[in-house]
Amino acid sequence: LERDAIFRKEHNIHVSGSNIPSPLHSFAELRSRYKCRLYLLRNLTELGFKEPTPIQRQAIPVLLSGRECFACAPTGSGKTFTFVFPILVKLKHTSKDGVRAVILSPTKELAAQTTRECRKLAKGKKFYIRSMTKQLAKSNDFSKLRCDVLISTPLRLQFAIRKGKLDLSRVEFLVLDESDKLFEAGMLEQVDFVVKACSNPSILRSLFSATLPDIVEDRARTIMHDAVRVIIGRKNS
Ligand code: ADP
Ligand code: MG
């Protein structure tokens, strides 16, 4: 659509892929287009978010349309809510089916921060959102623990899976946050291990990063199929 192209240009949004959904003009469109629950819109208002950031305008509709997404936007541009929001919309409510969404973070500190952000957005709704602590990774009874969204470093997740107590075969959403860091030499193997463990054939994967080194492009192509690529601003800026 011509109108979408003009709007994207105004917001410095670059896209590639087939059948890309229209960017968001406002948060209110989340309700009219995607029937997003009111509690989520209320939480956005409470957080003081008036307008979506450029990455949110384009990548949220991509993910809500059930498309895989490969997103690159500068640090501080609101990438966390870009992937947390569609997860909460799509999960709808808590379930006893085990872990349904996994967010991989390169550091424990980022995992803890993402957990806090996720809980802020989910406020008022009963979801079990957990950070994989050292204690939790060692625990033997993951199957008895309620968990809708699990946020972890690749190492802790690999450790828990290897113990045979964590089943990720029902995961519907897998996010690789700061994927430029996740794909650095020391973590690449652990990331691949987790990607394989999330064996649900209808899983929706997404990659987020602030820079686009070749390794990210390469891994994005091997990990995802028919992904929509969303880049804000200039490459590597
Ligand atoms: P990134 O992951 O892209 O580096 P973050 O997701 O950490 O950025 O977001 C940076 C800051 O912007 C956070 O404090 C977050 O609460 C805030 N933020 C996110 N989306 C919006 C929005 N639409 N309007 C205002 N502030 C926002
Ligand atoms: Mg971030």
Side-chain angles (χ1 to χ4, degrees):
L1 259 100
E2 180 70 17
R3 175 174 171 260
D4 289 348
I6 293 165
F7 188 78
R8 285 187 188 114
K9 207 168 179 183
E10 279 170 11
H11 292 276
N12 220 344
I13 301 169
H14 307 278
V15 290
S16 50
S18 60
N19 289 316
I20 302 165
S22 298
L24 293 175
H25 288 249
S26 68
F27 281 131
E29 276 181 30
L30 289 166
R31 183 141 179 95
S32 53
R33 283 168 62 184
Y34 299 103
K35 301 191 171 61
C36 143
R37 302 297 170 89
L38 280 172
Y39 86 92
L40 282 169
L41 293 183
R42 266 201 305 269
N43 287 347
L44 288 177
T45 308
E46 242 181 70
L47 285 162
F49 297 1
K50 293 186 177 68
E51 273 201 286
T53 64
I55 190 65
Q56 291 166 355
R57 287 184 193 278
Q58 186 59 72
I60 290 177
V62 167
L63 291 167
L64 285 176
S65 304
R67 297 286 301 280
E68 297 204 317
C69 185
F70 171 34
C72 180
T75 302
S77 65
K79 292 191 289 296
T80 315
F81 284 101
T82 309
F83 53 77
V84 165
F85 196 92
I87 288 175
L88 297 182
V89 173
K90 293 271 193 178
L91 291 185
K92 289 196 177 80
H93 39 70
T94 184
S95 117
K96 285 179 181 161
D97 285 348
V99 182
R100 288 178 297 152
V102 167
I103 300 167
L104 278 186
S105 305
T107 65
K108 289 171 278 190
E109 294 72 25
L110 182 64
Q113 190 191 323
T114 303
T115 306
R116 287 195 296 271
E117 301 278 293
C118 193
R119 285 178 180 153
K120 276 187 210 162
L121 195 60
K123 200 184 146 201
K125 184 86 182 164
K126 200 168 180 71
F127 272 119
Y128 292 84
I129 297 159
R130 295 185 191 277
S131 203
M132 180 71 93
T133 56
K134 195 183 248 171
Q135 205 175 4
L136 193 56
K138 283 182 179 164
S139 84
N140 276 318
D141 50 2
F142 224 97
S143 57
K144 290 179 211 119
L145 194 83
R146 289 284 291 269
C147 181
D148 299 299
V149 182
L150 183 59
I151 300 132
S152 177
T153 61
L155 185 64
R156 282 187 175 170
L157 212 47
Q158 184 186 43
F159 182 84
I161 298 164
R162 282 209 168 130
K163 285 191 64 136
K165 302 293 178 190
L166 175 63
D167 177 14
L168 296 184
S169 66
R170 291 172 116 159
V171 171
E172 298 163 45
F173 305 95
L174 174 63
V175 178
L176 274 58
D177 189 22
E178 298 205 354
S179 54
D180 41 1
K181 303 221 177 65
L182 288 175
F183 293 143
E184 279 172 10
M187 257 182 276
L188 190 57
E189 248 176 77
Q190 297 150 22
V191 173
D192 279 340
F193 183 91
V194 173
V195 170
K196 284 203 186 77
C198 297
S199 58
N200 179 351
S202 53
I203 192 166
L204 195 77
R205 299 183 181 122
S206 57
L207 250 78
F208 286 80
S209 76
T211 64
L212 265 187
D214 290 341
I215 178 95
V216 174
E217 296 261 24
D218 289 348
R219 301 306 297 172
R221 265 191 291 274
T222 53
I223 288 174
M224 298 190 291
H225 317 278
D226 195 29
V228 175
R229 197 165 175 272
V230 182
I231 295 172
I232 307 301
R234 267 182 338 112
K235 213 175 154 171
N236 294 325
S237 67

